[in-house]
Amino acid sequence: MLTAGLGLIGALIFGSADFLGGLAARRMSSMLVTAVAAASGLAALLLALPFVGGVWSPQAVFWGALSGVSGAIAISLLYACLAIGPMSILSPLTAVVSAVVPMAAGLAGGDRLAPIGYWALGLALVAVVLVGFVPEKGAVRPSTVGVLMALGSGAMIGGFMIMIDLTPDDSGLVPLVLNRAVNGTIMFVLVGVLALTGLRRRRMPAVPATGRSRAAGTPGPRAALPLRRPTLLVGLRLAAACGVVDVTANFLLLLGMRAGDLSVMSVLTAMYPAGTILLAAVVLRERIAPVQWLGLALALAAAGMLAAA
């Protein structure tokens, strides 16, 4: 029951963090969102570290740092696909992949479930499919690019969970601290490289259009408008809030893995689209089809079955 409770609460918090990240990615680069979220999350973890503690062993440092690489790829793809939208479809698609990858690893590594647990796994996968793919008339469908990014993000999230599960039980918050430190470093470096590349391109002489040079002050038809300061500030605040909410969910995930099995926690955590879907419906007025409500109900039933497994 403890594992089920931690998994469900963590899933809702993960969904809230993804919603905030998706909103922030609509106002600025998804890479910058990931970098800012990693920095704010790292700050929150460092504040909590003296109270929670953890042993700085080589295994904790190695797997925590490596998970930061996987997390940087995963979250960047996730926020980018959520920015394309619709959130209510791409988020569940990411979830089903993020559940299958660590569950397969957990079962291969020796996790064993009661018969009801395997039925719950199948029910959960059906639930996520019902939530994610809406065949009804008028339902918003995702683009191919959005689907591919969601699949890649799910695989990387699954890899992150496997690596965190491999950290020692006495490591406390150390793996998450390393995760956020590496994650933030990678993303800030990428943001810096892209910014320098963009600056160099703007300084290069442009090809004259309609007899006038763009260097003379006439923008071309595809010239990008600069991001307005109020929009950027809102995006930064959303990204910072996303980072704090996300590390809270990660801490609950870590506790759940210590108390239970990776295979069980991966399915419970995959319920996180519920938080994203509900917030998208309330804030963005995105449509939730009846089949999606059925999927959410089945997801809750599967979580209850796993709790009893």
Side-chain angles (χ1 to χ4, degrees):
M1 292 300 297
L2 176 61
T3 302
L6 290 173
L8 289 177
I9 296 173
L12 291 175
I13 297 176
F14 269 125
S16 301
D18 292 344
F19 178 77
L20 292 172
L23 289 181
R26 294 185 176 184
R27 293 164 172 81
M28 58 189 193
S29 165
S30 61
M31 289 188 178
L32 182 56
V33 172
T34 308
V36 173
S40 64
L42 177 60
L45 287 171
L46 291 176
L47 290 174
L49 185 60
F51 302 97
V52 179
V55 177
W56 291 75
S57 63
Q59 294 87 349
V61 172
F62 174 76
W63 289 116
L66 192 60
S67 73
V69 178
S70 177
I73 300 173
I75 303 303
S76 183
L77 288 174
L78 178 62
Y79 293 164
C81 76
L82 291 181
I84 295 175
M87 288 185 179
S88 56
I89 293 180
L90 294 179
S91 180
L93 179 59
T94 304
V96 69
V97 180
S98 69
V100 170
V101 171
M103 172 157 283
L107 294 176
D111 289 353
R112 292 295 178 265
L113 300 176
I116 191 176
Y118 294 102
W119 283 102
L121 170 60
L123 184 62
L125 295 179
V126 171
V128 175
V129 170
L130 289 177
V131 172
F133 297 95
V134 186
E136 297 181 0
K137 183 179 179 180
V140 180
R141 297 180 181 275
S143 65
T144 301
V145 174
V147 170
L148 291 176
M149 287 193 296
L151 292 174
S153 175
M156 291 294 102
I157 292 174
F160 155 77
M161 295 179 67
I162 294 172
M163 296 173 197
I164 291 297
D165 185 61
L166 291 172
T167 58
D169 292 342
D170 62 357
S171 57
L173 290 180
V174 171
L176 296 182
V177 170
L178 268 297
N179 172 277
R180 284 301 183 269
V182 172
N183 189 316
T185 300
I186 292 174
M187 300 314 302
F188 274 116
V189 169
L190 288 177
V191 169
V193 170
L194 291 176
L196 289 176
T197 302
L199 182 61
R200 289 179 180 178
R201 288 179 179 177
R202 286 195 295 269
R203 290 180 176 178
M204 291 177 61
V207 178
T210 63
R212 297 183 63 182
S213 172
R214 294 184 190 177
T218 302
R222 295 185 178 180
L225 295 176
L227 190 63
R228 293 183 299 175
R229 186 179 297 273
T231 301
L232 179 60
L233 290 177
V234 172
L236 290 173
R237 291 170 182 169
L238 288 170
C242 168
V244 176
V245 174
D246 187 64
V247 296
T248 303
N250 274 281
F251 179 59
L252 295 177
L253 171 66
L254 187 64
L255 292 178
M257 287 180 175
R258 299 288 183 255
D261 295 329
L262 170 63
S263 56
V264 174
M265 279 302 296
S266 64
V267 173
L268 293 173
T269 305
M271 304 301 175
Y272 72 82
T276 307
I277 290 172
L278 294 175
L279 285 174
V282 173
V283 179
L284 303 181
R285 304 297 182 185
E286 287 192 2
R287 178 175 176 268
I288 302 180
V291 68
Q292 290 179 300
W293 286 115
L294 175 60
L296 290 174
L298 292 179
L300 291 176
M305 292 167 64
L306 283 170

